Amino acid sequence: MKPKTKLIHQGRGDQNAEVRSVNPTLMRASTILFKDHATWQKYKELRKSERVLSYGARGTATNFELEKLICELEGGYRAQLFPTGLAALAMVLLNYASKNAHFLITDAIYGPVRTICDKFLKKMGIEVDFLKADASDVEEKIKTNTKLILCESPGSILYEIIDLPKLCKIAHSHNIPVAIDNTYSSGYFLNPLKLGVDISVIAATKYLSGHSDVTMGIVICNQKEWQNFNELPEDFGFTTSPDDVYLVLRGMRTLDIRMKAHEKSADEIVEFLKTRKEIKTIFYPKLKSHPNHEIFIRDHKGSNGMITIEFNDKYNQNDAITFVDCLKYFSIGASWGGYESLATVTTPPRTVSDWSHRGPFVRFHIGLEDTKDLIADLEQAFEKIKK
Ligand SMILES: *Cc1c(COP(=O)(O)O)cnc(C)c1O
């Protein structure tokens, strides 16, 4: 089955039922009932290895359908749902935390991960080193106590690209598992587990839900790392609302057409942005000038709706703020992956590379509006800050 068909035919409940609805049942539950004590005990055993009903917090039939669908897409063994993408990333870090552990994290990681490192991991005595955004310095930074490599590719805000098969080969030769934040490709345009990565983390908040009305995170593991990861989320009482799961499943049915539409519109907007003399740099991995563009093309089936621009030296932070304030169809707001366009003045959080003398930067999420309207909107905003 091709991925596009999986989106339509997987995760839809019992396909052999004689009578059924198109969509899986929305099952809300805390208590699950068992017909007798022996059955209860049987399911207590079963749940150690299989996805079966046992208690609402362990997931209901609705949750299981989303887990199945995302595992099918990512080529994973099992998936665990979390209330947010950040909670999913936090649990991955926590799972590999141990006394005197050392973690390596790439410089372009989703910004709030740094807060977990600074506020929590440090306190636990866990040492964190950051790698270059493209992870090219991994070999020299691995230590004997390195327990996890967490990366993101394309990276947050500037879309730096990592050669994942190469990174995994090095990591695995030292017995270190590799986790990736795969939110950019959302399990569709890149399947990192197929390139050797052990754990894929996706903020379903973004493209999987696609409608800016739900937050959720998903961790997808290969079989080996699932044995490590299996128990902790349950031990900590993490759960996800079946209503939210239902919304994500509903969003995913149109993931293929939405992602391709975001990409096509972003391509058109990039062509327009190339003509603007206000801009010094366009960050978009499909551009030949983008660092590691050939690796992006080799491993990815597409880009998404994210574009970041850097204004030229004539423009300062206030000009960038005026620019986004003048936009009519691009709204200001965190997150992305919904149907609507967004624009935010931003600074890439990096510590290995120094971007302090660069910018100002504006990050766009290109939504599903008509690109003619979006281009006209950008044009009028550029006119307002003309120098
Ligand atoms: C948004 C985002 C997250 C966090 O997702 P939330 O559901 O908002 O917590 C994680 N990683 C990346 C790359 C993101 O863009």
Side-chain angles (χ1 to χ4, degrees), residues 89-98 103 120-121 124 232 236:
L89 288 163
M91 191 51 64
V92 169
L93 290 170
L94 204 56
N95 190 57
Y96 291 89
S98 59
F103 290 167
F120 185 75
L121 296 180
M124 308 301 290
L232 202 65
F236 274 55

Side-chain angles (χ1 to χ4, degrees), residues 210-221:
H211 294 75
S212 305
D213 53 2
V214 57
T215 65
M216 191 182 299
I218 311 180
V219 174
I220 306 107
C221 296

Side-chain angles (χ1 to χ4, degrees), residues 182-197:
N182 191 29
T183 303
Y184 181 98
S185 305
S186 284
Y188 205 62
F189 282 165
L190 177 79
N191 299 121
L193 269 59
K194 293 172 185 163
L195 299 178
V197 173

Side-chain angles (χ1 to χ4, degrees), residues 22 29 50 63 81 84 104 145 159 196 206 228 275 279 308:
V22 169
E50 287 172 43
N63 303 53
L81 310 181
T84 64
L104 287 172
N145 56 337
Y159 322 112
K206 309 287 169 52
N228 285 326
T275 68
I279 298 172
T308 301

Side-chain angles (χ1 to χ4, degrees), residues 7 65 75 80 137 179 233 361:
L7 288 173
E65 295 306 318
Q80 170 75 41
D137 54 346
F361 299 94

Side-chain angles (χ1 to χ4, degrees), residues 84-86 89 110 152 156 181 183 203 205-206 215-216 335-336:
T84 64
L86 185 56
L89 288 163
Y110 175 65
E152 185 174 327
S156 277
D181 185 330
T183 303
T205 309
K206 309 287 169 52
T215 65
M216 191 182 299
S335 204
W336 44 269

Side-chain angles (χ1 to χ4, degrees), residues 10 329 341:
Q10 302 277 344
Y329 296 129
S341 288

